Amino acid sequence: MTAFLVLLVALLVAIYTFNYARWAWRQRLRLGAFGLALLAAATVAVPAWVMWYLS
């Protein structure tokens, strides 16, 4: 249950960050948008990988 909540919170943060990346892309801030998209992916990938690694 705890793992589910951690991943849910990480997913919500990633969605928020990805929406900000979309806004940055529309404002022609391409490099920043790309960095934000990577950050959004890492927001979910790192906790998932850590939980997998520790189990």
Side-chain angles (χ1 to χ4, degrees):
M1 182 64 174
T2 304
F4 174 74
L5 290 176
V6 168
L7 287 178
L8 180 64
V9 169
L11 183 63
L12 291 174
V13 170
I15 290 170
Y16 183 83
T17 306
F18 188 73
N19 282 330
Y20 187 58
R22 284 182 29 206
W23 174 85
W25 187 269
R26 289 183 187 138
Q27 300 299 314
R28 298 181 188 220
L29 302 169
R30 306 294 190 207
L31 187 59
F34 182 72
L36 282 166
L38 286 178
L39 180 65
T43 301
V44 175
V46 170
W49 178 79
V50 168
M51 285 190 286
W52 172 80
Y53 184 76
L54 293 177
S55 65

